[in-house]
Amino acid sequence: GEDVEQSLFLSVREGDSSVINCTYTDSSSTYLYWYKQEPGAGLQLLTYIFSNMDMKQDQRLTVLLNKKDKHLSLRIADTQTGDSAIYFCADHTGNTPLVFGKGTRLSVIA
Amino acid sequence: DTEVTQTPKHLVMGMTNKKSLKCEQHMGHRAMYWYKQKAKKPPELMFVYSYEKLSINESVPSRFSPECPNSSLLNLHLHALQPEDSALYLCASSSRAGTDTQYFGPGTRLTVL
């Protein structure tokens, strides 16, 4: 079945850019998502990208998709302490359920 | 408005209790989901309802019983749970089941004593 992989931890200084990476295995993926989860909270949809796009930008967030390498990244510009959270990459293929990565814990150092 | 609400926020129950979790959305979505999330893990899908009918049951034990009374409401009835069922239970909804974007609620933190 589909597998989605993420690195588990990332630490950045406040004001720097953060880049969270994700790889997936199913070449027929249709939508790829980034969700943010703060401690004790639900999942907040941050952004998503359709598989026929290479890049999507939304304010401080930039998503890059390399379909050839099955690699997705989320760049957060000017990272703030409020960005500290777990970020989940998730993949949708056809009518199958969402497949989540294990999540990347982002720590922002003031 | 992309809000999914869940009640209660926290629930503590004994192994012999019967309780229910509730989820509501008013976005006109016709697919609703229950997920279970253990600490430091991604959410695991439990059930999917599509047009108020159960379409996916991911081999969940019968002590969890979902119900979809109408297109806006989703319940999860709990009975005879075990301590290992303690987790964050998340509800989500999407326009349709399949590839439509899922929006999550804040979750119910369940502790089974």
Side-chain angles (χ1 to χ4, degrees):
Chain A
E2 167 71 321
D3 193 24
V4 177
E5 297 283 340
Q6 300 177 241
S7 52
L8 295 182
F9 300 100
L10 177 65
S11 182
V12 299
R13 294 203 175 275
E14 192 174 20
D16 288 351
S17 291
S18 308
V19 179
I20 303 171
N21 295 302
C22 171
T23 58
Y24 58 98
T25 56
D26 194 331
S27 57
S28 57
S29 296
T30 48
Y31 285 95
L32 294 132
Y33 299 87
W34 285 104
Y35 287 91
K36 174 184 180 183
Q37 187 173 36
E38 297 183 43
L43 270 68
Q44 174 194 350
L45 177 68
L46 280 183
T47 187
Y48 62 90
I49 189 166
F50 189 49
S51 57
N52 68 354
M53 297 170 67
D54 298 323
M55 186 182 92
K56 181 177 181 181
Q57 187 153 3
D58 184 2
Q59 300 184 326
R60 291 190 299 125
L61 305 179
T62 303
V63 178
L64 295 178
L65 176 60
N66 182 327
K67 281 197 72 177
K68 176 174 165 289
D69 295 337
K70 300 192 190 69
H71 182 265
L72 180 74
S73 68
L74 174 69
R75 179 177 178 268
I76 305 173
D78 187 25
T79 312
Q80 303 297 308
T81 54
D83 295 323
S84 293
I86 299 177
Y87 291 79
F88 289 101
C89 171
D91 174 27
H92 236 157
T93 303
N95 283 320
T96 60
L98 264 184
V99 177
F100 287 91
K102 288 184 167 54
T104 299
R105 183 179 296 274
L106 174 65
S107 296
V108 182
I109 306 161
Chain B
D1 182 14
T2 55
E3 189 178 26
V4 176
T5 59
Q6 290 187 243
T7 55
K9 192 169 172 59
H10 300 278
L11 179 62
V12 179
M13 60 187 290
M15 289 190 285
T16 58
N17 292 158
K18 282 186 183 181
K19 297 285 185 185
S20 296
L21 310 185
K22 295 186 185 307
C23 173
E24 192 165 3
Q25 57 85 16
H26 293 289
M27 295 179 276
H29 289 174
R30 302 310 299 271
M32 296 185 77
Y33 310 78
W34 280 116
Y35 288 84
K36 173 182 177 181
Q37 187 181 27
K38 300 285 270 184
K40 301 187 195 306
K41 299 285 187 188
E44 298 172 16
L45 183 65
M46 300 173 73
F47 302 105
V48 180
Y49 272 84
S50 178
Y51 291 88
E52 294 102 73
K53 287 187 175 15
L54 183 64
S55 63
I56 293 179
N57 176 341
E58 293 283 1
S59 303
V60 179
S62 60
R63 56 186 185 269
F64 295 91
S65 174
E67 179 198 18
C68 190
N70 61 55
S71 59
S72 300
L73 291 174
L74 185 66
N75 298 322
L76 186 63
H77 303 298
L78 314 171
H79 174 53
L81 294 195
Q82 304 297 309
E84 59 265 28
D85 297 320
S86 299
L88 181 67
Y89 287 84
L90 294 163
C91 174
S93 71
S94 64
S95 294
R96 298 164 304 172
T99 55
D100 286 358
T101 301
Q102 291 183 29
Y103 297 90
F104 284 79
T108 293
R109 174 74 58 192
L110 174 68
T111 303
V112 182
L113 300 176

